[in-house]
Amino acid sequence: MNFLWILVSFPIILSVFLPHTAGTSDSCARQCGQKLSNCSCHVTCENLGTCCDDYRNFCLSISPHSGSLMGGKDFVILNAVFNGSTSDIRCRFNNEIVTMGSVDDSGQAHCTSPLLYESGRIPFEMSTDGGVTYLRSGTWLSVHHSKASVMEKSLLKNSTKWQYYGTPGVEGNLTLLWKPEVLSYSDVNIELWGYSETGEAYTEEWSPAWQYLYTLQSGQNNSGSYIFTPQPANAAFSSWEVGMVRITASSQPDGQMNVPSIWSPVHALAWHLGEEFQKDPAAWAQGKCKAWHNKEQTQLPNFLAETPDCPCNLAQARADTGRYHTDYGCDIEKGSVCTYHPGAVHCVRSIQASPQFAAGQQCCYDARGNQILTFDSLGGSTPDRGHDWGSPPYRKPPRVPGFSHWLYDVITFYYCCLWSDNCQPYLELRPSSDCRTYKPPRVASAFGDPHFLTFDGANLTFKGKGEYTLVTSDFHSLTIQGRTETWEQAEMNEDGDEDTLFVHHNHEPVHVSSFSAVAMQEGGSDVIEVRIPDRSTNAWQLEVLVNQEVVSFVEQNWIDLKGVFVYSAVDQNVTVMFPSGAGIEVRRMNLILAVSVLLPEEFQNRTRGLMGVMNNNPEDDYSFPNGSVLPADSTPEELFQLGADWAVTNETSLFTYDSKFLLDSYLLKHDPNFVPVFNVQEDPNDPLTAEMQALCQSDPFCRFDVLTTQSLETGSITKLSHESHQWVMDSLKPVMSCGWLAPPGNGTKEGTTYLVGSSVKFHCNEGYILVGSPMRTCQPDGKWSMINTSCLLGTSNSCASQCGRRLSSCSCHETCENLGTCCADYWNFCLRISPHSGTLMGGKDFKILNVTFDSGANVSCWFKDEVLTTGYIDETGHAHCISPLLYETGRIPFQMSVGNSEAFLHSGTWLAVHHNKVPESDRSVLVNETKWQYYGTPQTSGNLTLTWTVKTFQDSAVNIEVWGYEETGGPYSNSWDAQWTYLYTLQRDHPNSGTFSFIPEPAKASFSKYEVGMLRISPHRYTEGEKNLPALWSLEHALAWHLGDDFRIDSAAWAQAKCLKWHEKEDTLPDFLKEIIDCPCTLAQARTDTGRFHTDYGCDIEKGSVCTYHPGAVHCVRSIQGSPQYAAGQQCCYDSTGTQVLTFDSLGGSTPDRGHDWGSPPYRKPPRVPGFSHWLYDVITFYYCCLWSDNCQLYLELRPSSQCRTYKPPRVASAFGDPHFLTFDRANFTFKGKGEYTLVTSDFQSLTIQGRTQPHTFENGTVGPVTGFSAVAMSENGSAVIEVRSVPGTTALEVLMDQEVISFDEQSWIDLRGVFLYSEIDQNVTVMFQSGAGVEVRGRNGILALSVLLPEEFLNRTRGLMGVMNNNPEDDFSFTNGSVLPADATPEELFRLGADWAVTNETSLFTYDSEFLLKNYFLKHDPSFVPEFEPQEDPNDPLMATMQAVCQSDPFCHFDVLTTRNISVGNATKASHQCHQKMVESLEPVVSCGWISAPKNGRKEGTRYLSGSTVHFSCDQGYRLAGSAERTCYPSGEWSGEPAQCVSDNILGIVLASVFGFLTLVALTVLLIINTRKQKRKKNFAPSVEFRSL
């Protein structure tokens, strides 16, 4: 035997064979954890040096110290060695389960953990004599199986396949994987085990059992992989539906318990179920689901009533750490893989099980932080009869960790929801809890040089040295104590140097203190202590003690203890959770502890200590133990005495004293000799002050700690702790819930958030009428607004709530008016209004024209099923509504209720308009608008004047209010929201005189943060700030006049700071410049590309070119569509030569916009809010940088003009006259059919444009063989269908949207679904689609002409009568089947081509709202109409001379005069042809060489960078030009010449001298080389010479 082994092992061997008497005063045999009279067997003895001699022989340390509660984990005894030949190792767990052990070759003993039905710290004893005596002891940590390490579990490859095996489409092999090195055997057995619970539920007989079922494979090579094809189990085993696969040594008997093993995850045993399941899984599962459903209702108690309600939002759920913890199956920190909860990003579970039935609560939340309910979604959270994490004391159902939950909540989910389609019965018995009874906990914190923020919001600083009671409560006997340590005790760091965190910069000790330990206990729970370990250790690590014993979180981050749970996922954070719901979070930052305590409302009026009396009254928070109270304005010295009074005693202390330092330092629980710094003053001359102010800003605790410690790092730690407390406070703000709202029967709802301020909309199915409220809002009192909603079956002959529909016996669609098919009550319910449009800011009073009501009746109007306004009945019986404040433009549907009716039966449409596009009479006017927006800057002061139209209001007096605009939440996130807010009233009860003058006063600090806003004038009878009442709004503007004193004192400095802050923030926002369209190169292109660009109303050449923000420009355009991802806008400005003005050359250059000025569908949220988002991100920032301060370069750096180097002009095709077609590729033909035809169709964006032709009527009333366009209809990718048609007998055009006539009388621009319309005059209409396609329709002499502009994305993707856009005119005469006519096709052949492109009844986009249209266009191509194909000119025709004079060389004009016998028709055709030619000419591609800069110390002449342009360069005095003096843009897109540089005369002289010197040197070198070569040649021919010495 090895001598060394004998020497080392002798004391141990001796201790085994010598008799041991239990309870001796000097031996740890059977006494580990106890403090004996002569020595100690408690773990604290290790640091104190008081251990008994045999302490390490009997008090065991093990590795690993934790494993799955399923057992089979091999662990080694670290601190003792044994003789393998004489030792018979056994381990006994919980004094009841014995497992076999062994001794390895190194003499270390091993034990195997057993199968347990509980988690937590399990005491075990070890025997070396085969179980005769158990003298040694230790602790094993049993862990929930899902939390066990990956190494100790096998992996079900494609676990879904395992659990769906046998269901339709799921078959084949299954694969099991494991780490072969975990089991040191060459061969293994693979077994199946099943889990069941037997006995009557909720009785003593109810018991859990894991049972061996059968072996899948014996003698399998331990390779780490096993593949098999499952076979249905025998009937005896198929009743087990939940189980695991176990891998163990093949030398072990089958089913042997508590041997080294690897277990799979617990799972649904679909793959092993019997033939009945295999034959029809859905029917089998449905039967199981029904049986479970019946058992739940008839045999088991209702556990739902005692589960806690869920937190109302995700912030509350994540902050309430005393009662809720992350559900590991749906964790936002780990990618939100929420398999069982689609739509959720995070779920939590209640930490404590319910008191009687041990049930659990689960709460899931979506990306917006809203709770997901099973009533609305299969992804909703579901409560559990068996808490997933089990419940103390465990061991019996339904408290068995994990497995009870699987039997009662998970496998049943498989029955009903996953293996069959019966999820509704499951969700009926596992419904989500809403949050109506949830009360968030209250939080108190302590941190820094200790600052206390109490439960009731008071704060104090107490800087004692000692151990103090933070919280004590008679509820659950909760006690929380804190230990503070003075900083001068830690002057030296681990290298022996002074630690700068704790020592004053002049090397004097700092008399401050901070927390170094927190100890706590509730009832008879384990005592938990969290402390900073030895200061020489990791600066972020915490040490956790349980009953004075250090516990490790290296292997597990969650530990179940007696009456408490402890969680620590990272070294510096520990969370302690008690059964009362109390949660304590301890965080370490460097050498300072911060602690936050969260207490549920049950602790109300039941707490005392330094964290205050939790009773909503901060005035008694400074209470002494005897009940006396200090006032709120107590001095620091008085507060110091308060803290000292809360010192613990030796008898009440919960702390561990396991070092001489602790014993000596805390013999007195409050050190009376330690006198801290009470008051500190800021010294403006101290260089630290500026840094402190920059760091701390307004945080008083941060400032205090920097001043007392002279350490910025300390201040930063304090600030972070304070911010953490504030975040928890904000997250835990109470939120009112009104409870779930069901959709109406035969209807649907929009909205699944039920918290205060949230709204739910209701809609009825086709044929049903909504009765009640179309929208209900959760009010602060927890009740839903308005009345219940229901959907009643609509009648077949009434338009009540059915406007726009065609019923079975009559019509409520607008087309009925001409067809005479309207229902009898059509005009009573389908409303016409005047005016029909107004600003999106609301306040416009409009009148219902077509129906009257009894005077005095109540009127309510719902806009878009969400905004309610109150109307009235006037003296004539007409109802009036008030338009609401909206955050969108376009057609807004509204419904109206009159009288006491619960139904909104009347409906109409309101047009919300960009605020800048409404008539001036619809706004109040800021007289001298510039003065308003520069007020407070140098030389701008005095009175401001506001004017308005008096007749707008009937009232004698008005109120004048200030409203501010802001956008809150994270940019480009779901929380980003727009908000107009009432700020204050400038003047109440001002006479309605039409004018108001005043001298502005700086706004209060709470209002001066608003820098963009409007003034509102409203009748004085309304409450100030009331929304949606009759009003006139000013233009939005920069609120310089209302800003605070800081602006007025130094506006330039204020604005510069704002500019710099904006510039910094922009760097954190996504770069929108990359995705906006490049500008057109010339003004002609910009004005012609009407599908993608439109006039910027702030700089319009048609209106005098008043370009305030763009000096030097005569016209600007904006991109019509916002950019695809960021909804940004492009702006392009041009000078009088048609050249683009760039910011690189001029402050007047065009600037792109983060927020498109006109907004971007679907509007409503930033940055898409029309006008106002643009003001916040692009306009007010221009004021900061360019107008109020001289920092414009910073602005232009981030808003640079776009050049035109990537701009590609659109292609244009036109049709006009007796229809002549000019295709995209410049072919032309004439087609004179009568019918409806496809002009353009494209698979790109599903664009379709159709044209309707009708025969021409001669002046004598006869109809000739001539046609012209009478209507054009179009749509793109689900957009509204737009139809433009001529109005017989007039020159006007009529525009229809989805078969409803719309008016341009009040507005020239209308935003519609997927399309914009513009019509400045009634003979022209421009239609603009989201793809950039533009369609211009012009009425000319009763015949329509149209031009279609398509961007290059349509290349090779168009068909129809306007040709294939592919730069090849030869295939433009293509039939629908792809065959092509030659270019010289006859008119008759072209006629057949046109006929082939006739639409069908199914594809037609046109409206048929008259008998004429129904009759004449029943056939989409009229085969009986034969046109005149080739009219001939007759010299004797008296019309010839006039025709030639008018038409000149235009062939289309000639043709149309001859066919129509009408000069005016020919003239209109000529005008249309010329218009097309001008568009083609304007859209010719232009090459740009790109901007070129002036040389430094020089100038350039020329700001045009297009092909053929020349830029000249010159230098300032004292400099000379190097490079090209002029550079010309080549057609290749390259600049000629070399870059120009301006070089100083002195430098030039030096350079020239250097050059000449260099050239001279080169010349001399060359001469030398030539001379050398000559010498060599001479040497070759010279006679030899002999040298001799003399």
Side-chain angles (χ1 to χ4, degrees), residues 1061-1363:
K1061 187 174 182 180
W1062 165 78
H1063 192 274
E1064 182 181 346
K1065 183 179 179 181
E1066 277 281 317
D1067 285 340
T1068 68
L1069 299 178
D1071 181 7
F1072 68 89
L1073 297 175
K1074 296 175 183 176
E1075 67 166 9
I1076 55 175
I1077 186 174
D1078 243 10
C1079 283
C1081 291
T1082 65
L1083 177 58
Q1085 287 179 336
R1087 299 190 69 190
T1088 306
D1089 190 351
T1090 51
R1092 295 185 290 179
F1093 294 91
H1094 191 77
T1095 297
D1096 181 347
Y1097 301 109
C1099 183
D1100 184 358
I1101 199 170
E1102 299 291 342
K1103 296 181 179 177
S1105 300
V1106 181
C1107 304
T1108 306
Y1109 296 115
H1110 300 283
V1114 299
H1115 193 74
C1116 295
V1117 295
R1118 290 189 183 276
S1119 58
I1120 294 166
Q1121 307 291 340
S1123 64
Q1125 183 176 0
Y1126 301 119
Q1130 180 61 281
Q1131 184 193 50
C1132 313
C1133 295
Y1134 303 86
D1135 64 19
S1136 57
T1137 69
T1139 300
Q1140 193 184 358
V1141 184
L1142 302 180
T1143 50
F1144 311 112
D1145 296 321
S1146 165
L1147 294 181
S1150 49
T1151 52
D1153 302 316
R1154 183 172 291 282
H1156 196 301
D1157 185 18
W1158 305 333
S1160 179
Y1163 308 110
R1164 297 165 70 91
K1165 288 178 69 69
R1168 299 177 179 272
V1169 180
F1172 310 135
S1173 292
H1174 172 59
W1175 257 92
L1176 276 194
Y1177 301 104
D1178 306 293
V1179 183
I1180 193 65
T1181 52
F1182 186 75
Y1183 276 83
Y1184 296 156
C1185 301
C1186 300
L1187 302 183
W1188 293 339
S1189 75
D1190 189 19
N1191 294 277
C1192 209
Q1193 211 49 49
L1194 290 174
Y1195 183 86
L1196 298 180
E1197 176 189 320
L1198 300 182
R1199 295 292 188 272
S1201 296
S1202 158
Q1203 301 182 57
C1204 70
R1205 300 199 73 180
T1206 65
Y1207 173 76
K1208 297 288 191 298
R1211 305 287 287 277
V1212 61
S1214 297
F1216 49 82
D1218 182 12
H1220 311 291
F1221 291 81
L1222 303 178
T1223 70
F1224 295 108
D1225 293 340
R1226 304 191 183 184
N1228 74 78
F1229 67 100
T1230 297
F1231 166 62
K1232 303 167 57 165
K1234 176 202 167 189
E1236 296 169 349
Y1237 307 95
T1238 297
L1239 307 183
V1240 177
T1241 182
S1242 175
D1243 61 352
F1244 179 67
Q1245 300 293 334
S1246 302
L1247 174 68
T1248 299
I1249 305 172
Q1250 300 173 355
R1252 174 189 285 160
T1253 61
Q1254 69 181 42
H1256 177 74
T1257 302
F1258 292 111
E1259 291 179 354
N1260 61 8
T1262 61
V1263 176
V1266 180
T1267 61
F1269 283 111
S1270 60
V1272 181
M1274 60 208 88
S1275 180
E1276 179 182 274
N1277 204 24
S1279 74
V1281 174
I1282 305 302
E1283 183 176 350
V1284 183
R1285 64 188 185 185
S1286 58
V1287 180
T1290 73
T1291 59
L1293 297 179
E1294 188 173 65
V1295 181
L1296 296 89
M1297 182 213 73
D1298 293 336
Q1299 303 187 350
E1300 177 186 344
V1301 175
I1302 55 178
S1303 170
F1304 288 87
D1305 292 345
E1306 295 175 10
Q1307 303 296 335
S1308 60
W1309 179 285
I1310 300 179
D1311 302 357
L1312 299 171
R1313 188 182 77 251
V1315 60
F1316 300 109
L1317 298 182
Y1318 176 73
S1319 181
E1320 185 76 32
I1321 54 176
D1322 58 9
Q1323 294 101 337
N1324 283 19
V1325 174
T1326 303
V1327 184
M1328 298 149 278
F1329 289 107
Q1330 290 182 343
S1331 65
V1335 183
E1336 295 196 8
V1337 185
R1338 299 172 293 278
R1340 297 192 186 275
N1341 206 44
I1343 300 175
L1344 299 187
L1346 73 145
S1347 296
V1348 178
L1349 298 100
L1350 298 183
E1352 67 171 358
E1353 287 83 357
F1354 283 88
L1355 204 62
N1356 293 306
R1357 300 182 75 173
T1358 71
R1359 302 170 69 230
L1361 289 177
M1362 287 185 162

Side-chain angles (χ1 to χ4, degrees), residues 282-296 411-417 420-427 429:
W284 181 94
Q286 183 174 341
K288 288 283 187 176
C289 178
K290 287 181 177 178
W292 165 79
H293 190 270
N294 180 63
K295 182 179 179 180
E296 279 275 329
I411 194 64
T412 52
F413 185 74
Y414 276 84
Y415 295 157
C416 302
C417 300
S420 74
D421 190 18
N422 293 277
C423 211
Q424 212 49 48
Y426 182 88
L427 299 180
L429 299 183

